[in-house]
Amino acid sequence: MKSKVITFLLFVLFSFSAASTEKELDENLQYFKEIYTQANAQYEYEKELGLDIDTVVSEIKQSYLDQCKLDEPINSDVLVTCYGTVLEKVQKVPNNHFAVYNQNHFYGAKYWLWNYSLVVFEKRNDDYYCIQPGFTKIKKCGKYTGDISNLFKLPDNEGKGKELYRFGILDENWIEEGIVSVDGNDYSVPLYGLPSHSHDESGIDVKTTDKTFYICFNNFTFSWDDANKYRELQNTLNEYLKLFDDNEYENIIVDLRGNIGGMERSFYPFMERLAAGRDYGKQRGFKKKLDSLYNGRKRYYSDYINQNFLEAMKANPGSYDRNEEEKLKKSKGFYFEQDNHDYYDFDCNFKGKLIILMNYCTASAAELFITESYMFDNVILLGSNSMGCFDFGGKLVYKLPNSNISIELCSDSYKEMKFTQENPHWHGDYKGFYPDYWVTDYALLKTLVYLTSDRKLKRALKGV
């Protein structure tokens, strides 16, 4: 009799535990569904392309149940893996801002990496001939017979009017070798990758010559969680900008390598000074020009987004916007606003070369800087492709209940913004902006000297 009672109690305990765990799992999945559909600018496009959110939730749950028992507490490591693997499979729009993670696992942030070789070809008419075999058995003057998309344009640093291309491969991973086809024969060649140029903290660096102004932005967050540091960096930038009042530079070099983004307001004073100087009337025209560039941009609002934005502004003094705060407090329901500005004609003050350095760690607001820079007449992109974090923006982080899992979603959509979509350098989220010239770090300074005709840069930018 005693044995039957114990068995019954264990059964009741198991049933209660299983019911409790399943309830917590369902709460987790329900919250995920709500924020994915109500706090995610990407969802509208994915739904149009056939994403069924109920099927997604069902697949995540089934994947979890295939690996874990309901009589045990929720396993965060397994659950985050279920989210990550299912979403990687079903998501219709590659958005580099999207991520789901806990302290041990991360899913998201996929992007193309440029794996380059030392093999260089020259274009003659419609064919490409090897001029630099790069320590391989490839014959000099051999005709390239491979995929043209694996040839990346280089600057003609010798000024001989040649059109040069380096063999390489864009891939989701760093790869050690590739196959080059020359004269119908395949050759294995070593491939190399660019360093990350990651920055531990916000910072600005400026170097100048008589002809050239170089500025490096580590990022555009400007330490927004520290009000004093944020103001200090803004003041530092304003001091650097005074150089524009006394000098007429022929070249501006903006180094965005490793700049993972932040907020537009961090670089706004710099862009405004280039475009309008200290003329307040022209500064108003510059603002109208920016408004017109955002034609097609959508900003989403919902209770989830609004509350998250308010908390973010409260926690980060650098991101505080009083007008936005009042707007969020008054808004109700789920809706979006769309900018509908006609293009505004604006003649920028700076007429020289605006050269932007970038790589696969150039992302988000740094890509927004590149977008806005095309209001100038002579923009040159150097380096490798950027990360591709721009079709969607306004990233916010949400905590999924009953687990230690976070999910990042965007509240803004730039996908239909005409000015971006018409830029031939933009290839969309995941691929990013492609440069005019694909330049490795060892060739960068030589290229800058050539493009600016400024030999003093050899010393001023040594080691950059």
Side-chain angles (χ1 to χ4, degrees), residues 261-311:
M263 296 183 298
E264 179 189 17
R265 72 177 66 178
S266 298
F267 66 76
Y268 184 90
F270 177 76
M271 192 71 79
E272 181 183 61
R273 186 63 61 86
L274 279 182
R278 288 188 173 275
D279 185 323
Y280 295 115
K282 195 158 189 177
Q283 288 175 5
R284 288 193 294 271
F286 169 69
K287 179 63 168 62
K288 289 181 180 179
K289 177 64 175 179
L290 282 187
D291 288 343
S292 75
L293 297 185
Y294 283 87
N295 185 16
R297 171 181 177 265
K298 295 181 180 179
R299 163 154 285 186
Y300 288 71
Y301 293 91
S302 71
D303 291 341
Y304 292 109
I305 293 173
N306 298 351
Q307 184 59 35
N308 205 328
F309 258 127
L310 289 170
E311 291 176 0

Side-chain angles (χ1 to χ4, degrees), residues 229-264:
K229 183 68 174 178
Y230 182 82
R231 284 193 294 269
E232 178 185 323
L233 284 166
Q234 287 285 4
N235 290 336
T236 299
L237 177 58
N238 287 331
E239 287 298 313
Y240 286 141
L241 292 181
K242 291 179 182 178
L243 293 172
F244 288 107
D245 299 331
D246 303 319
N247 298 275
E248 293 186 5
Y249 294 102
E250 296 178 20
N251 315 289
I252 304 294
I253 300 172
V254 182
D255 193 343
L256 300 180
R257 293 173 298 167
N259 186 320
I260 60 173
M263 296 183 298
E264 179 189 17

Side-chain angles (χ1 to χ4, degrees), residues 45 86 135 140 200 208 239 320 358 443:
Y45 298 92
V86 170
F135 309 106
K140 207 167 184 180
D200 294 330
T208 63
E239 287 298 313
Y320 179 75
M358 62 186 197

Side-chain angles (χ1 to χ4, degrees), residues 362-431:
T362 303
S364 195
E367 292 174 303
L368 179 62
F369 180 97
I370 296 172
T371 303
E372 294 184 7
S373 74
Y374 274 85
M375 71 176 70
F376 296 92
D377 295 330
N378 196 355
V379 181
I380 303 174
L381 305 183
L382 291 184
S384 67
N385 57 307
S386 62
M387 184 179 288
C389 268
F390 184 61
D391 278 347
F392 300 94
K395 182 182 73 174
L396 295 169
V397 181
Y398 300 85
K399 271 282 203 182
L400 299 183
N402 309 318
S403 67
N404 294 313
I405 299 174
S406 297
I407 186 169
E408 295 178 358
L409 300 170
C410 292
S411 59
D412 291 1
S413 171
Y414 300 94
K415 223 172 161 52
E416 298 173 21
M417 199 166 79
K418 183 178 179 182
F419 192 66
T420 305
Q421 303 308 321
E422 290 185 349
N423 189 320
H425 295 80
W426 176 246
H427 289 257
D429 265 9
Y430 170 68
K431 294 182 179 180

